[in-house]
Amino acid sequence: MRAFQVTAINNAPSLASIQECSPGPGEVRLRNQACGLNFADLLMIKGRYQDNPEPPFTLGMEAAGIVDALGPDVDGPAPGTRVAVFGGSGGLADYGVYPADRIVPLPDEVDMDTAAALQIAYGTSHVALDHKARLQPGETLVVLGAAGGVGLTAVELGKLMGARVIAVARGADKLAIAKQAGADHVIDAETPDLRAKLIELGRADVVYDAVGGDLFRAAFRAMNPEGRLLAIGHASGDVPQIPANHLLVKNIDVLGFYWGGYMTFRPKVVTDSLATLFQWAAEGRIKPHISHVLPLEQAAEGLELLRSRASTGKVVIRL
């Protein structure tokens, strides 16, 4: 079978022909149909991801496909079932073997591209906002990096969950995308005094931060008492330090959040969230923004779109 593999850390991945995989106990084999690309794939190539596999390994964290075979003692889903899975790797291949408890059946109305594109970006935002930050209708949600792959979903889901959403992104084009996703207010990230602007708009009950750096510090200082700040990532490269005395004075919670980590200790949190999201997609309440769909032979070009930040929303590889 074909597989887009990393054979050595820091070497460019390439398309290879490898032996077909077989499911073991507790596993399911899928005939992969689509796979979403992520910034984490670029980190894996360099060996810098939190859960980096040992080479050789096949890239592709989130996949959608058709159940092809069941391992011993696995009673479902039945072969032929359309499903999605966050596997962590293995999605950029004709077949993939995954733990059965990670498999989520798809409603008929959800196509494979949507299922592949939806999982990490929407799953991250949904578990973060609902399970972790307990976002309530009527609260004010500030999203930093609001036009990025996960930031855009936080805007969309925050609005769907009844929050007033303030989107922070860089440049008119990205702000327009955030506005289209449902933001009530948009602020350019280059605004000289972001803290003052957020205070003017009523401060934040929940901050969703995938950027770090100065944006984190400004939003942190513009939070309401009992606000919750979600530390999703630090795309700026600046990991902010948190003054504990400010936490005390304002009763603020800073919540570290790594979506993939739930698969190791509470996978049902993720699978239940994905089932909800797929149902919302089937009902037309959410729709991933997919800027590029490419064949497996162009997986390297897809990764370059992420590396150069030439994509908006998701890049999907179709098998």
Side-chain angles (χ1 to χ4, degrees):
M1 68 177 188
R2 300 173 302 160
F4 190 65
Q5 287 206 315
V6 173
T7 56
I9 295 301
N10 278 324
N11 283 8
S14 59
L15 193 59
S17 178
I18 66 172
Q19 186 173 357
E20 283 189 11
C21 47
S22 299
E27 293 181 333
V28 172
R29 185 173 72 181
L30 302 189
R31 180 158 51 88
N32 292 324
Q33 302 281 288
C35 180
L37 297 186
N38 293 276
F39 187 75
D41 291 311
L42 299 175
L43 296 179
M44 284 186 184
I45 294 168
K46 297 180 179 181
R48 295 179 181 172
Y49 191 58
Q50 297 101 312
D51 297 323
N52 226 84
E54 288 294 323
F57 64 88
T58 300
L59 290 168
M61 302 180 75
E62 51 184 342
I66 297 170
V67 175
D68 178 71
L70 304 178
D73 302 321
V74 176
D75 57 8
T81 304
R82 300 170 67 255
V83 300
V85 62
F86 171 72
S89 62
L92 291 175
D94 289 316
Y95 294 89
V97 168
Y98 308 101
D101 62 1
R102 295 191 181 194
I103 302 295
V104 182
L106 292 175
D108 292 340
E109 298 87 350
V110 178
D111 63 76
M112 293 293 184
D113 291 348
T114 297
L118 182 153
Q119 295 177 72
I120 293 176
Y122 279 87
T124 295
S125 293
H126 184 249
V127 176
L129 294 175
D130 183 59
H131 176 76
K132 195 76 172 178
R134 310 172 307 282
L135 180 67
Q136 300 298 309
E139 288 190 317
T140 296
L141 168 67
V142 172
V143 180
L144 306 179
V150 293
L152 203 60
T153 66
V155 172
E156 188 176 354
L157 291 178
K159 191 64 179 174
L160 186 59
M161 294 166 69
R164 184 174 71 107
V165 181
I166 301 172
V168 180
R170 184 168 282 105
D173 290 346
K174 290 186 176 181
L175 290 175
I177 291 171
K179 189 73 173 177
Q180 188 177 4
D184 297 284
H185 303 277
V186 295
I187 305 174
D188 196 302
E190 301 289 350
T191 296
D193 193 341
L194 176 61
R195 173 178 177 262
K197 186 64 177 176
L198 291 173
I199 291 173
E200 179 187 324
L201 290 173
R203 297 182 178 268
D205 297 304
V206 174
V207 173
Y208 182 104
D209 174 42
V211 180
D214 290 339
L215 296 185
F216 175 102
R217 287 183 277 270
F220 177 78
R221 296 172 62 219
M223 297 189 70
N224 283 316
E226 293 197 325
R228 289 87 73 201
L229 196 158
L230 287 157
I232 307 292
H234 42 272
S236 67
D238 181 348
V239 181
Q241 303 303 303
I242 301 164
N245 59 318
H246 289 200
L247 301 179
L248 296 172
V249 170
K250 298 179 70 175
N251 287 288
I252 290 172
D253 295 334
V254 177
L255 306 169
F257 181 75
Y258 169 42
W259 182 78
Y262 277 90
M263 282 301 186
T264 64
F265 65 92
R266 287 186 69 187
K268 196 171 185 298
V269 169
V270 171
T271 54
D272 284 352
S273 169
L274 289 176
T276 296
L277 291 168
F278 289 137
Q279 188 55 46
W280 284 355
E283 295 167 359
R285 301 172 73 186
I286 58 173
K287 183 174 177 59
H289 175 69
I290 301 172
S291 63
H292 297 79
V293 177
L294 302 170
L296 182 60
E297 291 79 8
Q298 292 179 253
E301 294 174 36
L303 289 175
E304 182 56 33
L305 289 169
L306 296 188
R307 184 181 292 108
S308 63
R309 302 189 185 277
S311 60
T312 57
K314 293 294 291 189
V315 176
V316 170
I317 300 300
R318 187 180 291 164
L319 291 101

